[in-house]
Each structure stands twice: as C-alpha cells, then as structure tokens.
Amino acid sequence: SNQQEMSKPIISEVKALNTIAQDTRIKGNVESNGDIRLDGRLDGDLDCKGRVVVGPDAKVKGTIRCKNAEIMGRVDGEIVVAELLSLKATANINGNLTMAKLSVEPGAIFAGNCKMTGQEEVSIEEV
C-alpha cells in the first residue's frame, strides 16, 4: 500500500493569468491571487500574490506589490517584491524599489531608492 501512496497524483493549485491588453486603461486598484500581465495602463495600486509582468508599452501610476515582477514598461510609483524583481532594458521606473533579489539589464532606468531585504522582512498582505 506504500507504493500506491507514492503514485497518487499531486494536485497543484491552478493560478489564472490575467492579461490587461494594450488598449485598456484601468482606474482603480487591482487585486489578484494569480499572475498578471499588464500591457495597458493602470492608474492605481496593484496587489498580486503571484508574478507581475509590466509589458514594454504599459504604464503604471501607483504601487505594485507582488511575489515576483518583470518590468519592461513605465512605472511611476513604488514597487515592493517579496522575491525577484527583474528590470528589463526598456524599464523606466520613477519610485522606490524594495525586493529580496534584483536583476537589472543594461538600459533599464530607475530614479528612487533601492532597498534589498531578507525575504522574511517583506510581507504581502492577504487579499
């Protein structure tokens, strides 16, 4: 019976990917338990349990809080990431950055303070 236990399928949580398209503008705060890719405009805060991708043509005015982030577009506001913040070459950020790990491609621009934390110091509040 031990062998049977081993072969039981592991049921993993399925997280939805939300995509905000290029010609979409959201005014207000966005909260998600899954991952988000933003190619449009967001005027408001983004709280996400998963991964946030800000596309090359995207513009965000507000605070981004998430587990992992990949920034290719423009962000005016604070970014707080529990794990890895990745700034791509086309990123343009005006605001403070807080993260556990940082990856920056040559060409990325940011104006603001950059603070690296131990993972336990950054808490993501429950949605």
Side-chain angles (χ1 to χ4, degrees), residues 52-67:
V52 170
V53 177
V54 176
D57 298 312
K59 289 184 176 68
V60 178
K61 249 194 174 114
T63 300
I64 297 175
R65 278 192 177 81
C66 60
K67 190 173 178 184

Side-chain angles (χ1 to χ4, degrees), residues 97-114:
L97 309 178
T98 305
M99 70 274 144
K101 291 190 209 115
L102 178 64
S103 156
V104 183
E105 282 186 358
I109 299 164
F110 75 86
N113 294 322
C114 189

Side-chain angles (χ1 to χ4, degrees), residues 71-84:
I71 312 292
M72 294 176 261
R74 184 174 178 94
V75 179
D76 289 298
E78 195 181 352
I79 302 177
V80 181
V81 179
E83 291 175 11
L84 174 66

